[in-house]
Amino acid sequence: MTFSKELQKLKEYKCDSRCVLSVYLNTNAADPEQQNGAWRIHLKTGLKRIHEYLEASNDEKELKAYKKLRDKVTKEIETNQGDFNKGVVIFASEDPELWSVHYVQVQVKNSFHWEDHPVTEEMEYMLKAYPEAGIVLPSFGEVRILDTAMGFITGERSYGFDSGLDVWKENNRVKSSLQTGTGEGNSDGLDQRLKENLQRFYKEMGVIVERIRKERDWKELYVVGEAEHANSFAKTLRTKPNNSIYKNLINVQADKVLHQVFEK
C-alpha cells in the first residue's frame, strides 16, 4: 500500500470515544537537541502528560486502554531503536484495531495525541514535502529504478541490458541496497546499431517506468545519469520528468542517491 493510500485510510478511521494514540518522535541523531538519546526523555515526557491528564479525568476504562497502547508503543520504539532514521510516527488503537508504524527519513517534531481519530496533519505535511516519487538512473548497461516516499526508499529494481544479445532482464536488488549495478559504460564511439539497440532498450524501460508510476501513484519523477543517457531516457517518457540530474550515480547506495536528489 502506498503512503498516500495508507494516509487516506488513517483519515477515515474514527472511534466513538478517545481511543487513538498518535506519536511523532524526533530520533534524528544529527539534531543537536537529540544528543545522548534525548528521544527517550521526549517519549517518556510526552506519554506521561497524557497519562496524567487521563488520571485527572477519572475515566478508568479510557485510562486502561491508553496504558495498554502506551506500553505497546514504548516497546516498539525501544526494540527497534537500531533502525532509527530521522523520526518515528505511530498511530495505535485497540478497538477497532489500528497499528501503523513508520520509521521516516524526514525531520519530525515531537508531539503526542490521544483523540478519537489519528492526528495526521503533520504526516500530511511531511508527505507533501516528500511525496511518492520515482528516481530512474539510466546507464549504458542498466536502468535502475527507485521507489520513494517520505524521504525513504520503499522499493528498488534494476534492469540490465546485454548489448551483445540485444536483450534485457530484471536484476535482483534489495530495498536500500548496498549492491552495485553492472557499471557505467562509455557510449562514445559506439556503432550505430549498438546505439539503436540501447535506445530501444530505453524505450522498453520507459514503458515499464510509466506503468510503475501509475501503480505506485508517483507524484514526481526524476531522471539521474550522465547527460547523454539522462536526456535519451527522458525523451521516452510520456510525461516530462520533474528534473533531470546529470550525475553518474548508478553504483551509489540508494539512500545517498536520495540525498543527491532531494537534499541538495
Side-chain angles (χ1 to χ4, degrees), residues 117-150:
H117 62 280
V119 177
T120 61
E121 286 80 6
E122 182 66 19
M123 188 85 153
E124 292 175 59
Y125 174 79
M126 291 158 58
L127 188 55
K128 185 176 181 180
Y130 293 87
E132 284 138 342
I135 302 174
V136 183
L137 300 96
S139 70
F140 173 64
E142 179 183 12
V143 170
R144 185 179 172 197
I145 304 170
L146 305 181
D147 186 16
T148 79
M150 301 280 282

Side-chain angles (χ1 to χ4, degrees), residues 13-22 65 68-69 72-73 90-100 114-118:
Y13 184 99
K14 186 84 171 177
C15 44
D16 295 332
S17 60
R18 291 178 301 188
C19 71
V20 182
L21 177 59
S22 301
K68 189 173 182 179
L69 291 172
K72 186 177 181 181
V73 165
I90 299 179
F91 304 101
S93 181
E94 285 293 313
D95 186 23
E97 185 176 357
L98 173 65
W99 185 245
S100 179
W114 178 251
E115 302 289 347
D116 64 354
H117 62 280

Side-chain angles (χ1 to χ4, degrees), residues 3-253:
F3 271 97
S4 292
K5 290 180 179 178
E6 183 165 354
L7 181 58
Q8 185 58 42
K9 288 180 71 70
L10 288 168
K11 291 171 69 175
E12 294 170 357
Y13 184 99
K14 186 84 171 177
C15 44
D16 295 332
S17 60
R18 291 178 301 188
C19 71
V20 182
L21 177 59
S22 301
V23 172
Y24 292 87
L25 184 65
N26 182 354
T27 57
N28 185 5
D31 187 335
E33 297 182 1
Q34 297 301 312
Q35 298 300 313
N36 300 317
W39 62 267
R40 291 186 178 86
I41 298 174
H42 294 302
L43 178 63
K44 183 177 180 180
T45 301
L47 295 175
K48 183 179 180 181
R49 286 175 180 168
I50 296 177
H51 182 272
E52 291 173 344
Y53 172 78
L54 292 176
E55 274 191 326
S57 71
N58 293 317
D59 189 326
E60 288 299 323
K61 182 179 179 180
E62 193 174 345
L63 181 58
K64 182 179 179 181
Y66 169 73
K67 285 180 178 179
K68 189 173 182 179
L69 291 172
R70 176 201 63 190
D71 294 345
K72 186 177 181 181
V73 165
T74 300
K75 182 179 179 180
E76 165 70 26
I77 294 173
E78 290 180 346
T79 301
N80 293 282
Q81 58 186 282
D83 297 327
F84 282 171
N85 292 296
K86 290 185 178 180
V88 182
V89 182
I90 299 179
F91 304 101
S93 181
E94 285 293 313
D95 186 23
E97 185 176 357
L98 173 65
W99 185 245
S100 179
V101 182
H102 307 277
Y103 293 90
V104 299
Q105 193 69 310
V106 180
Q107 191 67 36
V108 174
K109 182 178 180 181
N110 294 312
S111 64
F112 303 83
H113 312 269
W114 178 251
E115 302 289 347
D116 64 354
H117 62 280
V119 177
T120 61
E121 286 80 6
E122 182 66 19
M123 188 85 153
E124 292 175 59
Y125 174 79
M126 291 158 58
L127 188 55
K128 185 176 181 180
Y130 293 87
E132 284 138 342
I135 302 174
V136 183
L137 300 96
S139 70
F140 173 64
E142 179 183 12
V143 170
R144 185 179 172 197
I145 304 170
L146 305 181
D147 186 16
T148 79
M150 301 280 282
F152 196 76
I153 303 295
T154 57
E156 178 174 357
R157 64 184 75 186
S158 173
Y159 297 86
F161 174 62
D162 188 325
S163 59
L165 298 176
D166 189 16
V167 296
W168 58 268
K169 64 179 181 178
E170 184 172 359
N171 299 328
N172 291 322
R173 279 188 183 265
V174 296
K175 182 177 176 181
S176 302
S177 177
L178 298 181
Q179 296 175 331
T180 59
T182 56
E184 177 70 27
N186 184 353
S187 60
D188 293 340
L190 292 176
D191 62 42
Q192 187 61 33
R193 181 176 178 277
L194 192 53
K195 287 185 177 181
E196 290 173 356
N197 289 345
L198 180 61
Q199 190 57 35
R200 185 159 53 250
F201 169 55
Y202 281 172
K203 287 181 180 179
E204 293 170 347
M205 292 302 102
V207 172
I208 290 175
V209 167
E210 293 288 1
R211 173 174 55 79
I212 298 173
R213 182 210 289 253
K214 184 177 181 180
E215 291 174 352
R216 301 299 298 168
D217 195 25
W218 287 343
K219 305 299 187 299
E220 297 178 356
L221 178 62
Y222 299 86
V223 178
V224 182
E226 292 186 353
E228 179 181 0
H229 297 303
N231 289 334
S232 293
F233 192 87
K235 291 176 182 178
T236 71
L237 300 172
R238 292 198 304 268
T239 306
K240 184 178 179 181
N242 293 75
N243 193 17
S244 292
I245 300 171
Y246 302 134
K247 290 185 177 182
N248 176 11
L249 304 179
I250 192 67
N251 290 328
V252 173
Q253 293 179 22

